[in-house]
Amino acid sequence: MSLALDAGPEEPLLPGWTIGRALDAAVSAWPSNDALVSVEQGVRLTYSELSAEVDGVARGLIARGVSRGDRVGIWAPNCAEWVIVQYATARLGAILVTVNPAYRTNELAYVMKQAGVSLLIAASKFKTSDYVAMAIEAAPNLPSVFFGTAEWDALRTGAGGEQIPDVELSPTDPINIQYTSGTTGFPKGATLSHRNILGNGFLVGEACNYTPDDRICVPVPFYHCFGMVMGNLAALTHGASVVIPAPAFDPAATLSAVASERCTSLYGVPTMFIAELALEDLDSYDLSSLRTGIMAGSPCPVEVMKNVSEFMPEVTIAYGMTETSPVSTQTKADDTLEHRTATVGRVHPHVTIKIVDRSSGEIVERGETGELCTAGYGLMLGYWDDPEMTSEAVDSEGFIHTGDLAMMDMDGYISIVGRSKDMVIRGGENVYPREIEEFLYTHPDILDAQVIGVPDAKYGEELCAWVRLRDGATFGEEDLRQFCHGKLSHYKIPRYLRITQEFPMTVTGKVQKFKMREVSIEELSLQGAACIVTA
């Protein structure tokens, strides 16, 4: 009998530094290497230049009263300033609260209050989003600094002249709060330490065989671990360069940046790679510099991985969750094509994983399906100011239960076969239906609402709302979109609507969402998308 339990190797050793110390080490080792390139902004900073910018913002934060342990929010699409603020807060030991740029007023207000944010740093606007107006509406009394303003210029130049205090920070200090949608209807703030995210960035970079010669194209958002950890910190710990192709994902801009900056690595969720492969002028981009990259964030279609492997021969799949900083398993360049395209790899160093029977909690045998659980250095410190939710997520042995159903083969490779929780992953964004259901309940004409995920060829999953209306009420898809617009992030707005008189229920009164999904697939003719094979 071989149990579905595996522990990663003890090598390489985890860096025992804080993020600030890691930046100092990078400057010492690779002062003239490009650290950060923002193509659309025309910004190019070496490690020495990046460090100088970081120190200026750190002094500016001190002048505004920010100190160790204070929470500083950042709300912006990808840009050079985002990375500078990430490192400046780390220098001081302030806790960076990363806010999804798609958040609207309700969500922003909740996060600012729950985290106790004392200063918000944000973009002034992006596309149709007026961040200044929304910030004033959501938190009118919260001090804010917006990029592109005189206040930002003062912050950036260290106005006030304060010196950065020589305070000995600990690698186990909290340094980042990332909000994940919660089954309670409200986001939960996963609190991560220097050790959590610096260690994970380093190990991800090791799995990709990064060196100071690598240039990583990062079109995935920085507010996610994918961007700020697997991108920024993987680069930092290896002297590599981060290339920002655009503020938000654009397939043509991404491939143009790969070509012009001679990127060796490209990141993306599956929908991003699908969009890039679908470009009519794909052959016109010189992608010969690409060697590796990471596809992660949602289930990776096997055929897409095979297509990507043709121009990124060492592309890897990574699996994890925000609460584990994030990566727990990853494929490697020397894995077989089958393993690299149809599994999420093997356990990372310094991590332990097990697959358990959800009923008994016992570890299942390899080849059997159960819930994937993970433990190790990457496990979050907890949900911010929420010990009850923390204890529900992490068991007495220090394992977090992912809610994903998985299988481990005899060689330790993991395949994700489903999700036990009803979380929906749309284009790499985790969405919990309960949050949307509770919002829909506030509509005066809606008596009851249930939200499910249905398969989608582009985004992996889309949201479908089943709604029971009050007598005499009328409600259509356009009404749904208008009600949600400006109050929910775009990816949380259901694409499909089904008006119903009743939900399929068990004899004990529990809604059977799997039956709702079956009916929706049939009615919406989504059988083709449902058959796409993922790793």
Side-chain angles (χ1 to χ4, degrees), residues 270-360:
T271 54
M272 292 180 177
F273 284 106
I274 291 169
E276 290 156 7
L277 291 169
L279 288 173
E280 292 184 359
D281 59 347
L282 176 63
D283 291 341
S284 69
Y285 297 96
D286 181 1
L287 306 180
S288 60
S289 59
L290 284 174
R291 171 182 64 82
T292 187
I294 298 175
M295 189 184 298
S298 62
C300 303
V302 172
E303 291 305 312
V304 175
M305 272 298 294
K306 289 180 178 178
N307 291 336
V308 170
S309 295
E310 293 182 6
F311 62 89
M312 294 166 60
E314 298 179 24
V315 65
T316 71
I317 290 179
Y319 167 85
M321 57 194 303
T322 302
E323 291 88 340
T324 54
S325 305
V327 176
S328 297
T329 74
Q330 190 172 357
T331 58
K332 292 186 176 181
D334 57 359
D335 287 334
T336 66
L337 180 63
E338 178 68 17
H339 282 141
R340 286 195 296 113
T341 58
T343 78
V344 294
R346 289 178 288 187
V347 64
H348 246 224
H350 308 284
V351 173
T352 301
I353 58 174
K354 64 180 180 180
I355 298 176
V356 302
D357 181 274
R358 282 185 56 80
S359 299
S360 67

XYZ file of all heavy atoms in Angstrom, residues 270-360:
691
model
N -4.656 30.233 -18.245
C -4.949 29.603 -19.538
C -5.630 30.518 -20.541
O -5.304 30.492 -21.735
C -5.842 28.430 -19.143
C -5.379 28.053 -17.771
C -5.039 29.357 -17.113
N -6.578 31.350 -20.085
C -7.284 32.220 -21.028
C -6.343 33.197 -21.723
O -6.578 33.583 -22.872
C -8.397 33.005 -20.318
O -7.841 33.707 -19.199
C -9.500 32.092 -19.829
N -5.279 33.590 -21.048
C -4.313 34.500 -21.659
C -3.564 33.803 -22.791
O -3.403 34.349 -23.888
C -3.332 35.016 -20.615
C -3.943 35.937 -19.581
S -2.717 36.520 -18.382
C -3.729 37.630 -17.388
N -3.102 32.588 -22.521
C -2.384 31.854 -23.567
C -3.313 31.524 -24.735
O -2.905 31.569 -25.901
C -1.776 30.574 -22.985
C -0.546 30.813 -22.162
C -0.593 30.719 -20.782
C 0.659 31.136 -22.761
C 0.543 30.935 -20.013
C 1.807 31.358 -22.005
C 1.749 31.263 -20.631
N -4.567 31.212 -24.438
C -5.539 30.941 -25.506
C -5.702 32.171 -26.394
O -5.717 32.074 -27.627
C -6.889 30.514 -24.900
C -6.764 29.130 -24.248
C -7.987 30.504 -25.961
C -7.961 28.732 -23.406
N -5.802 33.345 -25.777
C -5.955 34.589 -26.542
C -4.712 34.872 -27.385
O -4.820 35.351 -28.529
C -6.226 35.748 -25.595
N -3.534 34.597 -26.854
C -2.297 34.827 -27.600
C -2.204 33.885 -28.793
O -1.843 34.300 -29.911
C -1.102 34.648 -26.670
C -0.980 35.757 -25.629
C -0.218 35.348 -24.381
O 0.360 34.235 -24.348
O -0.200 36.137 -23.421
N -2.545 32.623 -28.565
C -2.487 31.649 -29.657
C -3.499 31.956 -30.754
O -3.310 31.550 -31.913
C -2.735 30.240 -29.103
C -1.643 29.651 -28.203
C -2.144 28.381 -27.525
C -0.376 29.376 -28.990
N -4.568 32.670 -30.396
C -5.629 32.963 -31.362
C -5.353 34.202 -32.197
O -6.120 34.508 -33.122
C -6.964 33.129 -30.625
N -4.289 34.955 -31.923
C -3.984 36.155 -32.699
C -3.754 35.792 -34.165
O -2.999 34.871 -34.481
C -2.742 36.851 -32.132
C -2.911 37.566 -30.793
C -1.555 38.056 -30.286
C -3.877 38.746 -30.925
N -4.402 36.542 -35.042
C -4.271 36.259 -36.471
C -2.844 36.429 -36.962
O -2.409 35.754 -37.899
C -5.226 37.153 -37.269
C -6.700 36.829 -37.044
C -7.600 37.658 -37.920
O -7.065 38.497 -38.693
O -8.831 37.481 -37.849
N -2.118 37.371 -36.333
C -0.747 37.624 -36.783
C 0.281 36.992 -35.837
O 1.390 37.493 -35.678
C -0.489 39.128 -36.893
C -0.686 39.864 -35.570
O -1.258 39.272 -34.637
O -0.248 41.034 -35.473
N -0.091 35.884 -35.211
C 0.793 35.217 -34.247
C 2.186 34.973 -34.823
O 3.200 35.191 -34.151
C 0.173 33.892 -33.801
C 1.008 33.021 -32.853
C 1.258 33.739 -31.527
C 0.310 31.675 -32.610
N 2.239 34.563 -36.072
C 3.526 34.223 -36.694
C 4.427 35.435 -36.888
O 5.622 35.278 -37.152
C 3.297 33.532 -38.039
C 2.682 32.145 -37.882
O 2.770 31.590 -36.766
O 2.108 31.641 -38.865
N 3.869 36.635 -36.777
C 4.681 37.835 -37.010
C 5.523 38.217 -35.790
O 6.411 39.068 -35.897
C 3.781 39.018 -37.396
O 2.981 39.440 -36.296
N 5.241 37.619 -34.640
C 5.996 37.937 -33.422
C 7.195 37.003 -33.290
O 7.049 35.778 -33.412
C 5.113 37.795 -32.178
C 3.947 38.760 -32.156
C 2.686 38.360 -32.604
C 4.105 40.067 -31.693
C 1.608 39.238 -32.581
C 3.038 40.946 -31.666
C 1.793 40.530 -32.112
O 0.738 41.399 -32.098
N 8.341 37.581 -33.034
C 9.549 36.787 -32.830
C 9.583 36.313 -31.376
O 9.952 37.056 -30.470
C 10.796 37.628 -33.140
C 12.087 36.829 -32.973
O 12.013 35.633 -32.631
O 13.170 37.417 -33.172
N 9.193 35.061 -31.175
C 9.129 34.483 -29.825
C 10.284 33.515 -29.579
O 10.247 32.722 -28.640
C 7.786 33.754 -29.639
C 6.529 34.572 -29.934
C 5.278 33.728 -29.715
C 6.482 35.838 -29.087
N 11.316 33.625 -30.395
C 12.418 32.659 -30.313
C 13.216 32.766 -29.022
O 13.950 31.837 -28.669
C 13.352 32.834 -31.512
O 13.909 34.155 -31.536
N 13.089 33.887 -28.328
C 13.836 34.037 -27.071
C 13.205 33.261 -25.918
O 13.846 33.018 -24.894
C 13.917 35.518 -26.684
O 12.612 36.069 -26.528
N 11.926 32.867 -26.057
C 11.228 32.199 -24.964
C 11.805 30.818 -24.690
O 12.051 30.033 -25.617
C 9.731 32.067 -25.270
C 8.895 33.338 -25.106
C 7.468 33.086 -25.576
C 8.897 33.805 -23.648
N 11.993 30.542 -23.423
C 12.466 29.233 -22.981
C 11.462 28.569 -22.051
O 11.150 27.397 -22.156
C 13.819 29.382 -22.261
C 14.307 28.118 -21.578
C 15.624 28.353 -20.856
N 15.512 29.310 -19.758
C 15.072 28.980 -18.527
N 14.702 27.751 -18.256
N 15.004 29.911 -17.584
N 10.954 29.335 -21.107
C 10.107 28.773 -20.067
C 8.947 29.713 -19.780
O 8.686 30.659 -20.517
C 10.928 28.510 -18.786
O 10.128 27.821 -17.826
C 11.446 29.800 -18.165
N 8.235 29.437 -18.700
C 7.101 30.249 -18.302
C 6.217 29.440 -17.378
O 6.529 28.301 -17.038
N 5.111 30.038 -16.966
C 4.204 29.360 -16.047
C 2.765 29.582 -16.502
O 2.352 30.709 -16.769
C 4.359 29.881 -14.606
C 5.776 29.615 -14.083
C 3.335 29.211 -13.684
C 6.038 30.214 -12.709
N 2.013 28.489 -16.563
C 0.577 28.548 -16.749
C -0.043 28.108 -15.424
O 0.286 27.044 -14.902
C 0.112 27.639 -17.882
C -1.353 27.841 -18.261
S -1.972 26.688 -19.526
C -0.930 27.105 -20.926
N -0.890 28.930 -14.864
C -1.475 28.631 -13.558
C -2.701 29.500 -13.379
O -3.099 30.239 -14.277
C -0.457 28.885 -12.444
N -3.317 29.433 -12.200
C -4.435 30.298 -11.870
C -5.791 29.669 -12.043
O -6.758 30.082 -11.409
N -5.897 28.681 -12.924
C -7.125 27.913 -13.101
C -6.747 26.654 -13.867
O -5.625 26.553 -14.386
C -8.190 28.721 -13.853
O -7.762 29.051 -15.146
N -7.642 25.663 -13.931
C -7.288 24.411 -14.605
C -6.752 24.645 -16.009
O -7.314 25.409 -16.789
C -8.619 23.646 -14.624
C -9.343 24.146 -13.418
C -8.990 25.606 -13.333
N -5.659 23.985 -16.325
C -4.952 24.214 -17.583
C -5.350 23.158 -18.616
O -5.034 21.967 -18.433
C -3.441 24.176 -17.358
S -2.862 25.353 -16.123
N -6.032 23.538 -19.686
C -6.406 22.562 -20.710
C -5.178 21.881 -21.306
O -4.200 22.540 -21.660
C -7.125 23.415 -21.762
C -7.597 24.617 -21.010
C -6.546 24.879 -19.981
N -5.245 20.572 -21.409
C -4.102 19.796 -21.874
C -3.666 20.230 -23.268
O -2.467 20.395 -23.542
C -4.435 18.288 -21.838
C -3.320 17.476 -22.499
C -4.655 17.827 -20.401
N -4.634 20.420 -24.163
C -4.283 20.783 -25.536
C -3.616 22.152 -25.608
O -2.719 22.376 -26.419
C -5.532 20.742 -26.426
C -6.072 19.351 -26.669
C -5.007 18.406 -27.240
O -4.321 18.812 -28.202
O -4.871 17.292 -26.725
N -4.052 23.072 -24.763
C -3.423 24.396 -24.734
C -1.975 24.273 -24.277
O -1.065 24.891 -24.840
C -4.202 25.359 -23.821
C -3.478 26.708 -23.699
C -5.608 25.583 -24.373
N -1.754 23.472 -23.237
C -0.378 23.270 -22.757
C 0.500 22.686 -23.853
O 1.654 23.089 -24.029
C -0.374 22.351 -21.537
C -0.541 23.045 -20.206
S 0.814 24.202 -19.838
C 2.187 23.062 -19.686
N -0.025 21.767 -24.599
C 0.763 21.154 -25.681
C 1.105 22.197 -26.744
O 2.238 22.245 -27.250
C 0.001 19.986 -26.294
C -0.076 18.763 -25.374
C -0.846 17.624 -26.030
C -0.880 16.405 -25.117
N -1.667 15.290 -25.699
N 0.137 23.050 -27.086
C 0.398 24.090 -28.084
C 1.429 25.103 -27.590
O 2.310 25.529 -28.338
C -0.906 24.811 -28.442
C -1.867 23.935 -29.219
O -1.454 22.982 -29.879
N -3.150 24.244 -29.131
N 1.314 25.495 -26.326
C 2.257 26.456 -25.759
C 3.656 25.861 -25.700
O 4.659 26.560 -25.902
C 1.783 26.908 -24.357
C 2.860 27.718 -23.653
C 0.497 27.723 -24.472
N 3.747 24.570 -25.433
C 5.050 23.908 -25.322
C 5.847 23.977 -26.618
O 7.079 23.862 -26.605
C 4.866 22.440 -24.925
O 4.316 22.320 -23.640
N 5.157 24.197 -27.732
C 5.858 24.261 -29.016
C 6.776 25.472 -29.103
O 7.810 25.426 -29.779
C 4.849 24.266 -30.162
C 4.082 22.949 -30.291
C 3.120 22.961 -31.461
O 3.135 23.958 -32.233
O 2.362 21.983 -31.608
N 6.404 26.591 -28.456
C 7.295 27.759 -28.487
C 7.869 28.101 -27.114
O 8.679 29.009 -26.982
C 6.599 28.978 -29.112
C 5.388 29.479 -28.392
C 5.505 30.428 -27.390
C 4.122 29.019 -28.716
C 4.389 30.908 -26.727
C 2.998 29.495 -28.064
C 3.138 30.438 -27.052
N 7.459 27.360 -26.084
C 8.033 27.501 -24.742
C 8.342 26.084 -24.240
O 7.571 25.514 -23.469
C 7.052 28.213 -23.795
C 6.776 29.654 -24.168
S 5.331 30.345 -23.304
C 5.806 30.182 -21.595
N 9.446 25.509 -24.702
C 9.693 24.080 -24.442
C 9.782 23.701 -22.973
O 9.575 22.543 -22.632
C 11.019 23.821 -25.166
C 11.649 25.168 -25.316
C 10.520 26.119 -25.479
N 10.073 24.658 -22.096
C 10.201 24.340 -20.672
C 9.073 24.941 -19.843
O 9.207 25.129 -18.629
C 11.556 24.825 -20.144
C 12.755 24.160 -20.801
C 14.078 24.678 -20.280
O 14.117 25.192 -19.148
O 15.080 24.586 -21.019
N 7.932 25.238 -20.473
C 6.816 25.831 -19.744
C 6.361 24.889 -18.628
O 6.384 23.672 -18.780
C 5.641 26.154 -20.693
C 5.042 24.897 -21.307
C 4.565 26.974 -19.961
N 5.974 25.455 -17.492
C 5.558 24.652 -16.354
C 4.126 24.986 -15.955
O 3.618 26.071 -16.252
C 6.466 24.884 -15.129
O 6.220 26.180 -14.585
C 7.938 24.774 -15.498
N 3.491 24.049 -15.269
C 2.218 24.296 -14.612
C 2.489 24.388 -13.123
O 3.225 23.566 -12.564
C 1.202 23.166 -14.878
C 0.730 23.180 -16.334
C -0.004 23.279 -13.951
C -0.250 22.067 -16.671
N 1.926 25.385 -12.482
C 2.056 25.529 -11.031
C 0.666 25.479 -10.411
O -0.302 25.987 -10.977
C 2.744 26.842 -10.673
N 0.594 24.849 -9.242
C -0.670 24.755 -8.519
C -0.490 25.295 -7.107
O 0.522 25.026 -6.449
C -1.162 23.304 -8.432
C -2.290 23.140 -7.433
C -3.601 23.385 -7.801
C -2.026 22.795 -6.112
C -4.636 23.282 -6.881
C -3.054 22.693 -5.184
C -4.355 22.927 -5.569
O -5.371 22.838 -4.653
N -1.491 26.033 -6.646
C -1.435 26.518 -5.276
C -2.641 27.370 -4.966
O -3.641 27.364 -5.691
N -2.546 28.125 -3.888
C -3.619 29.012 -3.482
C -3.011 30.162 -2.701
O -1.886 30.056 -2.189
C -4.658 28.259 -2.646
C -4.108 27.593 -1.410
S -5.221 26.381 -0.623
C -6.683 27.359 -0.305
N -3.724 31.263 -2.630
C -3.213 32.439 -1.936
C -2.740 32.081 -0.536
O -1.699 32.565 -0.075
C -4.303 33.517 -1.862
O -4.734 33.850 -3.185
C -3.789 34.769 -1.178
N -3.493 31.231 0.141
C -3.190 30.881 1.530
C -1.891 30.100 1.693
O -1.407 29.924 2.816
C -4.356 30.078 2.127
C -5.618 30.882 2.347
C -6.551 30.936 1.157
O -6.085 30.687 0.014
O -7.739 31.245 1.332
N -1.308 29.628 0.574
C -0.031 28.914 0.650
C 1.074 29.647 -0.114
O 2.081 29.065 -0.479
C -0.156 27.471 0.129
O -0.710 27.481 -1.191
C -1.057 26.653 1.031
N 0.848 30.902 -0.399
C 1.884 31.878 -0.811
C 2.455 31.878 -2.223
O 3.448 32.556 -2.427
C 3.071 31.784 0.150
O 2.643 31.955 1.474
N 2.053 31.277 -3.263
C 0.927 30.381 -3.412
C 1.280 28.931 -3.766
O 0.483 28.036 -3.577
C 0.179 30.992 -4.589
C 1.289 31.463 -5.496
C 2.415 31.882 -4.577
N 2.477 28.657 -4.356
C 2.689 27.388 -5.061
C 3.028 26.233 -4.117
O 3.912 26.354 -3.269
C 3.799 27.541 -6.132
C 4.111 26.206 -6.801
C 3.372 28.566 -7.177
N 2.328 25.121 -4.310
C 2.592 23.899 -3.555
C 3.148 22.794 -4.441
O 3.914 21.945 -3.981
C 1.318 23.383 -2.877
O 0.824 24.302 -1.940
N 2.740 22.762 -5.710
C 3.257 21.763 -6.652
C 3.576 22.454 -7.967
O 2.987 23.477 -8.305
C 2.246 20.623 -6.919
O 1.182 21.105 -7.752
C 1.680 20.058 -5.624
N 4.520 21.865 -8.711
C 4.911 22.463 -9.990
C 5.575 21.405 -10.851
O 6.295 20.533 -10.350
C 5.878 23.639 -9.762
C 6.162 24.477 -10.999
C 6.963 25.737 -10.666
O 7.255 26.023 -9.513
N 7.316 26.510 -11.679
N 5.320 21.484 -12.151
C 6.031 20.603 -13.075
C 7.427 21.159 -13.316
O 7.718 22.318 -13.012
C 5.284 20.486 -14.411
O 5.137 21.797 -14.987
C 3.903 19.872 -14.219
N 8.294 20.325 -13.883
C 9.667 20.737 -14.168
C 9.997 20.515 -15.634
O 9.327 19.746 -16.332
C 10.640 19.959 -13.279
C 10.543 20.306 -11.804
C 11.639 19.604 -11.012
C 11.614 20.030 -9.551
N 12.699 19.373 -8.762
N 11.060 21.175 -16.063
C 11.444 21.124 -17.473
C 11.783 19.712 -17.930
O 11.568 19.365 -19.098
C 12.632 22.044 -17.721
N 12.321 18.885 -17.021
C 12.720 17.536 -17.426
C 11.617 16.499 -17.222
O 11.839 15.306 -17.402
C 13.990 17.101 -16.696
C 13.854 17.139 -15.178
O 12.771 17.525 -14.690
O 14.833 16.786 -14.490
N 10.413 16.940 -16.850
C 9.283 16.016 -16.793
C 8.877 15.601 -18.203
O 9.131 16.321 -19.175
C 8.075 16.668 -16.099
C 8.256 16.797 -14.591
O 9.020 15.999 -14.021
O 7.620 17.691 -13.994
N 8.227 14.468 -18.312
C 7.737 14.032 -19.615
C 6.652 14.990 -20.104
O 6.034 15.714 -19.318
C 7.140 12.617 -19.539
O 5.965 12.658 -18.712
C 8.143 11.632 -18.960
N 6.413 14.977 -21.403
C 5.376 15.829 -21.970
C 4.029 15.522 -21.332
O 3.251 16.437 -21.037
C 5.292 15.631 -23.488
C 4.235 16.476 -24.209
C 4.531 17.957 -24.075
C 4.154 16.070 -25.689
N 3.752 14.251 -21.085
C 2.486 13.869 -20.462
C 2.363 14.474 -19.071
O 1.328 15.036 -18.712
C 2.379 12.340 -20.379
C 1.120 11.824 -19.707
C -0.145 12.095 -20.510
O -0.042 12.386 -21.716
O -1.231 12.028 -19.902
N 3.432 14.384 -18.280
C 3.394 14.944 -16.934
C 3.310 16.468 -16.962
O 2.654 17.085 -16.116
C 4.631 14.513 -16.142
C 4.547 13.106 -15.624
N 5.637 12.256 -15.620
C 3.516 12.407 -15.100
C 5.265 11.091 -15.105
N 3.990 11.159 -14.796
N 3.979 17.087 -17.942
C 4.004 18.557 -17.993
C 2.700 19.146 -18.511
O 2.442 20.329 -18.298
C 5.168 19.033 -18.874
C 6.525 18.877 -18.207
C 7.617 19.668 -18.905
N 7.871 19.221 -20.247
C 7.619 19.930 -21.348
N 7.095 21.137 -21.242
N 7.890 19.454 -22.537
N 1.890 18.341 -19.192
C 0.655 18.874 -19.757
C -0.613 18.363 -19.077
O -1.650 19.011 -19.142
C 0.561 18.551 -21.264
O 0.638 17.128 -21.447
C 1.687 19.219 -22.034
N -0.533 17.213 -18.411
C -1.740 16.594 -17.852
C -1.736 16.517 -16.332
O -2.667 15.974 -15.750
C -1.930 15.193 -18.444
N -0.697 17.046 -15.674
C -0.662 17.076 -14.211
C -0.218 18.461 -13.750
O 0.195 19.295 -14.566
C 0.313 16.034 -13.624
O 1.671 16.512 -13.732
C 0.204 14.694 -14.347
N -0.297 18.683 -12.444
C 0.213 19.936 -11.885
C 1.551 19.698 -11.175
O 1.974 20.493 -10.337
C -0.808 20.591 -10.921
C -2.040 21.042 -11.692
C -1.193 19.646 -9.786
N 2.214 18.616 -11.548
C 3.556 18.367 -11.055
C 3.599 17.676 -9.707
O 2.622 17.086 -9.238
N 4.786 17.773 -9.088
C 5.018 17.151 -7.783
C 5.205 18.219 -6.719
O 5.337 19.404 -7.007
C 6.258 16.241 -7.862
C 6.024 14.984 -8.683
C 7.255 14.122 -8.798
N 8.259 14.721 -9.663
C 9.377 14.103 -10.048
N 9.635 12.881 -9.645
N 10.225 14.713 -10.845
N 5.259 17.768 -5.484
C 5.320 18.668 -4.344
C 6.586 19.526 -4.386
O 7.664 19.060 -4.774
C 5.221 17.872 -3.028
C 6.411 16.931 -2.861
C 5.086 18.795 -1.832
N 6.461 20.779 -3.990
C 7.574 21.724 -3.926
C 8.488 21.395 -2.744
O 8.062 20.761 -1.772
C 7.011 23.138 -3.734
C 7.255 24.051 -4.887
N 7.670 25.350 -4.737
C 7.135 23.872 -6.226
C 7.777 25.935 -5.921
N 7.453 25.061 -6.831
N 9.729 21.863 -2.774
C 10.603 21.722 -1.604
C 9.980 22.365 -0.362
O 9.254 23.371 -0.468
C 11.879 22.461 -2.029
C 11.878 22.402 -3.525
C 10.436 22.487 -3.919
N 10.255 21.773 0.793
C 9.822 22.302 2.096
C 8.299 22.331 2.251
O 7.778 23.074 3.085
C 10.396 23.701 2.335
C 11.888 23.785 2.156
N 12.771 23.316 3.092
C 12.629 24.262 1.126
C 14.011 23.512 2.657
N 13.950 24.081 1.462
N 7.611 21.552 1.434
C 6.148 21.470 1.499
C 5.755 20.007 1.654
O 6.420 19.117 1.118
C 5.499 22.058 0.219
C 3.993 21.820 0.192
C 5.790 23.555 0.112
N 4.686 19.752 2.393
C 4.119 18.415 2.513
C 2.688 18.445 2.008
O 1.937 19.376 2.324
C 4.122 17.928 3.975
O 5.463 17.923 4.464
C 3.551 16.524 4.090
N 2.326 17.462 1.204
C 0.956 17.369 0.725
C 0.395 15.989 1.041
O 1.128 15.012 1.145
C 0.835 17.646 -0.794
C 1.703 16.668 -1.605
C 1.190 19.075 -1.128
C 1.513 16.810 -3.112
N -0.903 15.945 1.201
C -1.591 14.667 1.383
C -2.957 14.772 0.740
O -3.500 15.874 0.561
C -1.724 14.315 2.870
C -2.577 15.281 3.687
C -2.652 14.853 5.145
C -3.507 15.832 5.972
N -3.589 15.438 7.406
N -3.513 13.628 0.376
C -4.850 13.577 -0.185
C -5.684 12.718 0.742
O -5.315 11.576 1.044
C -4.831 13.017 -1.621
C -3.993 13.941 -2.524
C -6.247 12.880 -2.166
C -3.831 13.439 -3.941
N -6.772 13.296 1.234
C -7.545 12.624 2.279
C -8.980 12.378 1.846
O -9.531 13.089 0.994
C -7.546 13.455 3.588
C -6.123 13.699 4.070
C -8.276 14.785 3.409
N -9.551 11.372 2.442
C -10.976 11.119 2.286
C -11.741 12.196 3.042
O -11.500 12.431 4.229
C -11.320 9.734 2.850
C -12.793 9.406 2.681
O -13.578 9.805 3.560
O -13.140 8.761 1.679
N -12.666 12.854 2.375
C -13.336 13.988 3.007
C -14.232 13.566 4.167
O -14.488 14.357 5.070
C -14.161 14.756 1.963
C -13.295 15.648 1.085
C -14.135 16.492 0.142
N -15.116 17.309 0.829
C -14.851 18.463 1.426
N -13.605 18.920 1.455
N -15.813 19.150 1.996
N -14.686 12.358 4.151
C -15.569 11.900 5.224
C -14.797 11.497 6.465
O -15.107 11.925 7.579
C -16.425 10.720 4.736
O -17.233 11.101 3.643
N -13.757 10.683 6.277
C -13.019 10.142 7.425
C -11.800 10.959 7.806
O -11.319 10.884 8.937
C -12.580 8.708 7.123
O -11.608 8.692 6.072
